[in-house]
Each structure stands twice: as C-alpha cells, then as structure tokens.
Amino acid sequence: MTSRRTRGIATTGVVVALAVLALVSVLAADAAGGPAATILADAGAAARHGGPVASLVADLAGALVLGGAVLGGWVLGSTADRTRALLVVAIAAGVWTLAQLVLIATSYAVATGQPIGSDRFGSDLGVYLTTDLGAWLLASLVLAAVTTVVAVSGSSRATARAVTVAAGASLLAKAMTGHAAGTASHETATSTMLVHLLAVGVWVGGLAVLQLLPDGPRDDAAVVRGYSRLALVCWAALWASGVWALAVRMNGIGDVVTSAYVQLALVKALLLALLGGAGVVQRRLLADAAGAPGAEGRPLDRHLFRRLALLELALMGLAVALAAAMSSSPPPAAAATAPGDLAELLTGYPLPAAPGLGAVATAWRPDVFALAACCAIALAWWWPTAPRRARPRTILLVVALIAALVVQCGPLAVYGKVLFSAHLAQHVLLLTVVGPLLGAAWSWRPPRRAGVLVAALAVVLAGAAYVTPLVRLTLDSHVAHLALVVGATACGVLVGAAIAADRRAAPAAGIVLVAGGLVLALGDRVVAPSWFGATGRPWLADALADQQRAGWALVAWAVVWTSAAALAQARSARSSNSERTVRRRASRSSRSANGS
C-alpha cells in the first residue's frame, strides 16, 4: 500500500513538473520570439505554443534514451540494473519518436503559416520535408524510431551500446536543425549543438535513470563515482560548447541588453554553474564518503542521494525548458549582414589572404568537432578504469592527436575551403599520418595475409570521394564533410595496421596513392568546378592548374611516405628480431645452467 502511494505521489510529481516546465518553455519562447512570433501569428496558437512543448518533451525523452543507454553499456554491472535501465530507455525512445513527429507538424505549421487542423494543412508537406530543416527533422524522427526498435530488442550490454550509437545519430540530425543554418559560422554552430545535445543527454538522462534502478545488492558508491566522472566531463563540455555557440550567434556585447535570446542563454549558464556545484556536493557527501578509508562496507545514503538528484534534475529540467524555448526563437545573428564576397557566400567564411609565409602561419580556425573528438579519445585513453598502456603507445597517441588538431584547425583547413590542393593535402595527411599513428597507438592488427588488400582498399575508399560527385556533397554539407574526415582517418587506421602486419602493405598503398596523383596531375577535368572554380579568389585562380600541382605533390608525397613507412617497418622488425635473439640466448643459458 505504501509503495503504491509512493509511486502515485512520484507520478503526480513528474506530471506537475512537466506541466511547469512546458509552461516555462512557452512563456520563454514568447518572450524571446519577438518579431518572428508576430509575423507567423497566422500559424495558430497550437503551433506556436505546441512547438516549444514538443521540443521540451523530445529533448527530455532523448536525454533519457542516451543517458540510460550509456549507463547500461558502460557503467552498470548488474543484469537487473541494466534490464531496468533499458526498459526506461525503450519507453523513452517511443515517447521521443512521437514528440519528434509532433515537432515536425508544428514546425511545418509555423514555416508555412498554416494552422494545425486547417483545410490546407499538410498540402505541401512533401515540399517542406525537402528543405534543410524538414529533411533533418525527418531524419531525426526516423533515427529515433530505429533507436526504439533497437531498444526493445534486448537488455544486453551490446544492445545498450547499439542504442547509444543510434541515439547519437538521431541527435546528430537534430543538431543540423535550429538556428545553425542562419548563422555565418554554420559548421561551428552545428558542431557545438551536437556536443551540447550529447552532453545534456548523458548527464540529465543518466542521473534520471539512476533514480529508477531497482533496490538490490550493488556497489552504489562505485556506480555513483562512475556516473560522476561522466557528469564532470559533460559539465565541462556543456560550458565550452554553450559559450562557443552563443558567441557565434551574437552580433556583439550589446546583445546582452537588447536580445532576450542571449538573456535566456545567460540564465542557462547560471543554472549550469549551480548544477556544477550540486554535483560537487553530491560527490563529496556520498560517493567519496562511502569509499573513504575506514568506511568499507558502509552503504551509500540513498535517501540523501535521491534528494540531491531531484534538486539537480529540477535545475536540469528548467535549463532544458529554456533551451527548448531558445530553439523556437531567433538568435541575434539571424539578422546579420549579408556575406561580403563569393567565398563567404559559398563557404560561410571570408576569403583568406593570398598564401604567403605570414598569411599561412596565422591562418588558424578552431574546429569544434576535431577538438571534441580529440578530447573524447584522450579521455577514453586515460579514463580511470582503462587498462594501463605502454609509454611508447601513449606518445604515439599524443602525436596523433596533435597532428589531427594541426590538420583540422590549421592553415590546411582554412585554405581547404577554397583551394583544392589544400583540401586534398588535409585529407591525405589524415589518411597517411593521423590514422596510422592512431592505429599504432591502439595496436590493432589485421590478418597478415590480408595486409596488402586492406591497405590498398583503404586508400581506394578514402580517395573515392575525389573521383565521384560525392566531393561536391562533402563541400556543401557539414555532415558529409564530417563523414569524409572520419572516413579518411578510419582508412588511415586500417592502412597503419596493415603496414604493421605485412611489409608489402606500404608499397601497395603507395602505388594506389601514386596512381591517384597521376590521375589528378595528367587530367584536364576540374574536380568540383562549381566550388573550387567559383570562390572568386584573385590568387591561384586557375583551378585546373592548382589541381594538377596537387596531383604531382601527391605523387612526391607517396614516394616519400612509402619509403619512410618501409624504413620504419624494417627498423621495427630488426628490433623485434634482436629481442627474440636475446630471449633465445637467455633461454639457452638457463637450460645450460640447469643441466650442469
């Protein structure tokens, strides 16, 4: 009876909290909407008010899905805990899918000015779904539905990790919506939104799912410590991505006074600071106290943990409500001035200065995705529960991460937006330097007999984009660009692993690189002429000549790289042979000593 009453009170509390948060999101959206709300008044109150509410429910449900899946895949050790977590995830995934369906309907109504339920509502829905906003909303909906299907398929650790991947893909599509397309720094806006969504999901969803775990024998302190580490990372990621995202959406410091959107963001920042303090208190009072010397066997104070967690969830819910309101409101930079030149119109960035020593040395542009990816890899490498790794492998990883940041944030990334040679050099370095170094650090090896085939196919796959229309898509679409970057790096990992497994792999990869370079150097057809030939640059204006120079440079690099890879492999083989010789001599000496 008591448990039923407790559950009833908890259910009522959740419903009331959701109603309050929905009201906050609607009021905040009206406050920040400004002229947009007036212009689109004919869409109806249901669309204007339903949009923030649907966004709120979708954000909360998506957070539950991602956070619960991460806990089930990496933190929770008990089968019963993982089963409960994935049950919550499956239910939340269904709600997430339905909320995103409602979000599409309200977004369509606002975009077309057709009230929901009117005679013409839905008449041109097909056209709306072909726009950038409509297509990404639809993609997020489909991926959320896929997440639901995966979530109900089982309760194993592998299922939880598969749900994490599917939910992350849906959030990636979600990150492409909102006001990212309305800013000059489109790539920065979308990448920061992706980091923001992932961090919120793991933090908010993880904490909520922890409150729903069944009572039973478990090391609560260890679970809370494991979650607290993730929460700290998410808190830092939220701060960094939130500040960065706000910076690219502002026209100047005066927006703090004149823009309700910026003011809502500052309130979110204050809530985040309070949440960070609550997290520190939770860790010190609970997990650290239960695991302190002399406290072995003392259970975690679950009642205190629940009260602190509910406080955090209330603050988190308020922050998510404000975020939902902001997603339905225009940022100040949406009314920014038009692009100043053809390059900025095409790429979103001003045309860089003519290549010279000074210009190239100062041509740096931080890449959010690259920074986040490198931080994630470093955290996975040095995570407290990760296995100890040899120092040479750690050095290789550090060099690989530094090289990745130089390639993705340095001059090649800046000039690669407008110059084919720089674009090609950027991805060749990912394929031949960054990827192999990462592969060497993780020391994965393919079967020796497959080394040549793996190396050759990896280079072919990485270069396929440059001989197909896909290269134009990677220039125009940020998601396709990220796919090219990740794909080139992954192919580089395969190439490095193949070289380590088979000494013939380096020449095989080098031959393919030389062939690709000759195709570019001797060809007379410009790759992506509507991009590299339309940037309006007064320097190196001949796109075909630049492409041919890039081809010859690739041939030279292939020869140098193949020779260096073969030399490094030979040195590694000599070192291994020397070690085996020393071990054999030591073994013979030991046997001789024992025989005497």
Side-chain angles (χ1 to χ4, degrees), residues 390-452:
R391 185 176 180 181
R393 291 174 58 193
T394 300
I395 293 174
L396 287 174
L397 179 82
V398 172
V399 173
L401 296 182
I402 293 175
L405 291 177
V406 170
V407 170
Q408 290 301 108
C409 304
L412 289 178
V414 174
Y415 284 92
K417 290 292 183 183
V418 296
L419 202 60
F420 176 84
S421 56
H423 189 275
L424 178 67
Q426 182 182 5
H427 295 92
V428 167
L429 289 176
L430 291 176
L431 174 67
T432 60
V433 177
V434 176
L437 287 173
L438 287 175
W442 254 276
S443 66
W444 175 81
R445 299 288 183 272
R448 184 171 183 178
R449 293 183 178 180
V452 173

Side-chain angles (χ1 to χ4, degrees), residues 342-343 345-347 417-418 420 468-476 525-537 543-544 547:
L342 289 175
L345 179 65
L346 195 64
T347 68
K417 290 292 183 183
V418 296
F420 176 84
T468 64
L470 288 176
V471 66
R472 184 62 174 82
L473 178 63
T474 63
L475 293 165
D476 199 40
R525 185 175 181 179
V526 177
V527 174
S530 60
W531 187 279
F532 292 114
T535 59
R537 59 183 186 272
L544 180 59
Q547 179 179 308

